[in-house]
Amino acid sequence: MTERKKITLPYLFQKAQEGEPISWLTCYDYPTAYLQEQAGVEMILVGDSLGMTMLGYDTTLPVTMDDMIRHAAAVRRGAPTAFVVGDMPYMSYQPSDEIAVKNAGRFMAEAGCDAIKLEGGQAMAPRIRAIVDAGIPAIGHLGLTPQSVSALGGFRLQGKSAVLAKKIVDDAKALEEAGAFAILLEMVPDRLCKIITERAKNTLIFSLGSGPHAHGQLLIYHDMFGLYPKFKPKMAKVFGNAGEVILNGLKQYVSEVKSQTFPAPENWFGMPEQEYEELLKMLGE
Ligand code: KIV
């Protein structure tokens, strides 16, 4: 286990003040959370992207609160000191402030999260305000917001024109005024991310595919290690091909079972000779 102290909000703001970028990754399970904790990853997002990466859906829309809580609690067990963020799934916050606060509270009480994240701009500012007023740290998410993928016309760059970029600047301001302690900008142009970061006063700005000018970076873990078979977004860097390593290991397993080279004596358990003889006698053999 790491000796690291618990990562807190003051720690995150201190890093931003010192100009040291904050590391943030998605994670959905205990063993990966354990590795991320050992590696020193500071923030973990239990994203509703688990609908695609772990559950095999084509979008994040079918993910439920119960799915999220189950995965977030496992991540917390694996990463006791990381700053764990629970991602609010589709329709767990959109209908009303009351529903949003209730579900945000589940992440804190049932999964031990440190904060929640939700998607949307000015229209969702009241939800952020209600959640923050309930004492729960909240993160906004702008740009490519996967829960609105249909309305946005697919998984594509957002805020490319001046008019659309200005709307994202306004949305960021609205979320900051509503009390979001951080805002994630997903797939917006780097110079738009820079403007929003420079204007942010009490909010940390994170980039996912939005360039280097932010207080921190987020990546999807499965994209980093070749673990999502359907596609690899341009913004993701592959840091190692674990998918290939695992696939080769699986093929070898099948081959060794067929050729009877697995299991070998070191993979099974023997019985004392005397006990074995006794057993045969008892069985009349
Ligand atoms: O669910 C998720 O992992 C996310 C990222 C795409 C930012 O929200």
Side-chain angles (χ1 to χ4, degrees):
M1 274 292 176
T2 50
E3 300 293 319
R4 186 171 74 171
K5 281 202 197 134
K6 179 84 187 73
I7 305 276
T8 59
L9 276 179
Y11 167 98
L12 297 176
F13 278 93
Q14 191 188 327
K15 291 289 149 193
Q17 206 172 11
E18 292 167 356
E20 183 182 322
I22 300 161
S23 55
W24 191 14
L25 288 181
T26 62
C27 181
Y28 320 102
D29 60 73
Y30 171 82
T32 311
Y34 179 84
L35 293 175
Q36 292 194 9
E37 170 100 8
Q38 300 305 305
V41 173
E42 292 154 304
M43 290 175 68
I44 289 178
L45 174 66
V46 186
D48 66 349
S49 51
L50 68 82
M52 298 168 76
T53 56
M54 301 294 284
L55 304 178
Y57 298 124
D58 285 333
T59 70
T60 59
L61 304 191
V63 176
T64 66
M65 268 308 292
D66 286 345
D67 291 332
M68 294 305 301
I69 295 294
R70 171 62 65 95
H71 285 271
V75 166
R76 172 59 11 159
R77 289 191 283 275
T81 71
F83 192 91
V84 175
V85 180
D87 198 16
M88 300 198 65
Y90 188 54
M91 288 301 145
S92 70
Y93 59 96
Q94 289 93 339
S96 71
D97 288 356
E98 200 183 343
I99 289 173
V101 171
K102 190 161 167 281
N103 284 319
R106 286 193 64 191
F107 275 112
M108 308 301 278
E110 296 176 39
C113 286
D114 298 296
I116 60 85
K117 173 176 90 56
L118 59 79
E119 299 181 6
Q122 300 184 31
M124 287 299 126
R127 302 288 181 273
I128 293 273
R129 167 59 58 207
I131 290 168
V132 171
D133 283 350
I136 300 171
I139 301 178
H141 179 170
L142 298 173
L144 174 59
T145 44
Q147 290 174 18
S148 312
V149 66
S150 177
L152 296 176
F155 291 95
R156 51 158 69 165
L157 183 69
Q158 301 296 312
K160 214 169 156 186
S161 71
V163 170
L164 293 176
K166 170 72 166 54
K167 165 94 174 65
I168 296 176
V169 172
D170 293 343
D171 280 341
K173 189 158 184 280
L175 295 181
E176 177 165 7
E177 285 171 0
F181 82 87
I183 296 170
L184 170 67
L185 296 177
E186 178 172 352
M187 270 182 90
V188 306
D190 60 338
R191 285 187 287 185
L192 173 57
C193 181
K194 183 167 188 276
I195 289 172
I196 293 173
T197 303
E198 284 168 356
R199 289 181 168 215
K201 292 192 175 67
N202 301 308
T203 302
L204 305 173
I205 305 299
F206 287 87
S207 159
L208 172 54
S210 302
H213 307 293
H215 300 114
Q217 294 291 326
L218 171 68
L219 269 185
I220 308 284
Y221 172 81
H222 282 57
D223 295 336
M224 293 170 69
F225 292 105
L227 291 170
Y228 186 62
K230 290 193 181 161
F231 62 87
K232 183 196 88 61
K234 172 183 180 313
M235 62 193 175
K237 176 173 172 184
V238 177
F239 285 80
N241 202 335
E244 195 175 286
V245 171
I246 293 169
L247 182 61
N248 287 339
L250 291 170
K251 284 179 179 168
Q252 191 177 339
Y253 168 72
V254 172
S255 154
E256 289 192 18
V257 167
K258 300 288 176 199
S259 65
Q260 300 184 349
T261 48
F262 177 86
E266 64 267 25
N267 307 121
W268 70 63
F269 304 91
M271 190 177 187
E273 193 57 29
Q274 198 184 339
E275 298 299 331
Y276 178 64
E277 295 299 333
E278 183 68 22
L279 174 64
L280 292 183
K281 256 194 247 158
M282 287 166 75
L283 295 173
E285 288 189 15

